[in-house]
Amino acid sequence: MPAVLAVLGVGIPVLALVLSGTAGAVPGAPEPSHPEDDFAGSQILKHEGMSKSGVAPPATRGTEGVDVSSHQRNVAWAPLWKSGVRFAYIKATESKSYKNPFFAQQYNGAYKTGIIRGAYHFATPNTSNGATQARYFLAHGGGWSKDGKTLPGALDMEYNPYGATCYGLSHQGMVNWVRDFFRTYKAKTGRDVVLYTSTSWWKTCTGNYSGFSKTNPLWVPRYGSSVGALPGGWKYQTVWQYTSTGAMVGDHNRFNGSLDRVKAFANG
């Protein structure tokens, strides 16, 4: 009897985990094999392309920014500052194994130039759960401090570079994975994670879930002259990635507000 109870004791929580659709029910795919090629918008461009109207900068309202990864290697921040760039997001990590080898130069270089910067994590929800990846991100550059120069961390959710579009997860499974990441990050920093995602991918992989729209700022990619429709629940975007072919570094963004609002956002 004790042996039977021991087996049941193990089986019950496992069954509950599967039935709840939590982010723990992850297939466990191999770690990414080319993370240096994965960056904010790399898969958006492949799957959604550019606007038919062509790439045009948005209206002058707002604050100009960029995002970079190891793809850009060492970044010359002074020319970007002179061109009007005032904030930046820098890829720190991917999954639970990859660290951007140029992160220190990029992250510290932006800070020294006066650019308000933050870090982002490229998610691979089929390799480990959300909490694990959030902790990895936090341990390798994704933290936040109230110094007026650090933006809250961002989570990059987009098409799988290695296979199935939604990483083999159901709508509920994906929502739970994201929630797992968000809760872990906020528990450590007190800040809500910025969500980077396209409207099309979000609809496909979460069923256009709207439950994060009241808490998590949105960073949306759409390459053209207008931001277009937003994912479920969001009334406006905080950041718009409007081109992948901008001057000097490619990916250019527009913060939805003046520089004072960027500073306020950094301070929380």
Side-chain angles (χ1 to χ4, degrees):
M1 183 66 71
V4 174
L5 290 175
V7 172
L8 289 175
V10 172
I12 289 169
V14 171
L15 180 60
L17 187 65
V18 173
L19 290 177
S20 67
T22 65
V26 172
E31 286 297 298
S33 58
H34 50 72
E36 66 281 355
D37 297 329
D38 308 332
F39 50 87
S42 59
Q43 306 310 305
I44 305 298
L45 189 61
K46 283 183 182 179
H47 290 266
E48 299 181 20
M50 307 292 268
S51 168
K52 291 180 181 179
S53 61
V55 178
T60 55
R61 180 178 175 276
T63 305
E64 187 73 7
V66 295
D67 60 271
V68 300
S69 66
S70 63
H71 193 70
Q72 282 79 28
R73 303 178 71 84
N74 290 324
V75 174
W77 290 105
L80 285 167
W81 172 269
K82 289 178 182 177
S83 74
V85 169
R86 293 296 180 266
F87 77 95
Y89 265 108
I90 295 135
K91 180 179 177 179
T93 51
E94 181 171 338
S95 189
K96 62 182 193 306
S97 61
Y98 174 77
K99 298 179 290 184
N100 173 5
F102 296 93
F103 181 77
Q105 188 278 336
Q106 294 172 349
Y107 194 73
N108 297 330
Y111 182 92
K112 290 174 183 176
T113 309
I115 292 172
I116 300 169
R117 84 287 191 253
Y120 77 86
H121 175 78
F122 192 100
T124 55
N126 58 337
T127 60
S128 55
N129 62 43
T132 296
Q133 294 195 27
R135 287 191 293 267
Y136 187 79
F137 178 49
L138 284 160
H140 298 98
W144 174 79
S145 57
K146 193 172 183 177
D147 58 7
K149 293 273 188 83
T150 306
L151 298 166
L155 176 63
D156 181 355
M157 300 295 301
E158 57 183 283
Y159 301 85
N160 183 1
Y162 302 95
T165 292
C166 301
Y167 300 85
L169 296 181
S170 66
H171 288 168
Q172 189 60 56
M174 187 65 76
V175 168
N176 288 343
W177 193 98
V178 173
R179 183 182 291 115
D180 200 21
F181 188 102
F182 284 174
R183 285 178 174 172
T184 303
Y185 188 90
K186 187 167 186 178
K188 295 290 186 181
T189 66
R191 293 302 303 269
D192 288 304
V193 175
V194 175
L195 174 65
Y196 173 99
T197 197
S198 77
T199 301
S200 179
W201 185 89
W202 193 253
K203 286 180 176 180
T204 299
C205 295
T206 72
N208 211 25
Y209 180 74
S210 62
F212 301 127
S213 62
K214 290 181 171 57
T215 53
N216 296 86
L218 176 66
W219 175 12
V220 66
R222 188 172 187 275
Y223 309 133
S225 57
S226 66
V227 72
L230 300 179
W234 278 276
K235 304 299 183 186
Y236 60 89
Q237 79 285 353
T238 297
V239 180
W240 170 22
Q241 187 187 58
Y242 67 88
T243 185
S244 63
T245 58
M248 288 182 267
V249 299
D251 290 351
H252 277 247
N253 301 273
R254 186 57 58 99
F255 188 91
N256 193 9
S258 65
L259 181 57
D260 287 345
R261 299 312 305 159
V262 181
K263 292 176 178 177
F265 185 53
N267 276 320

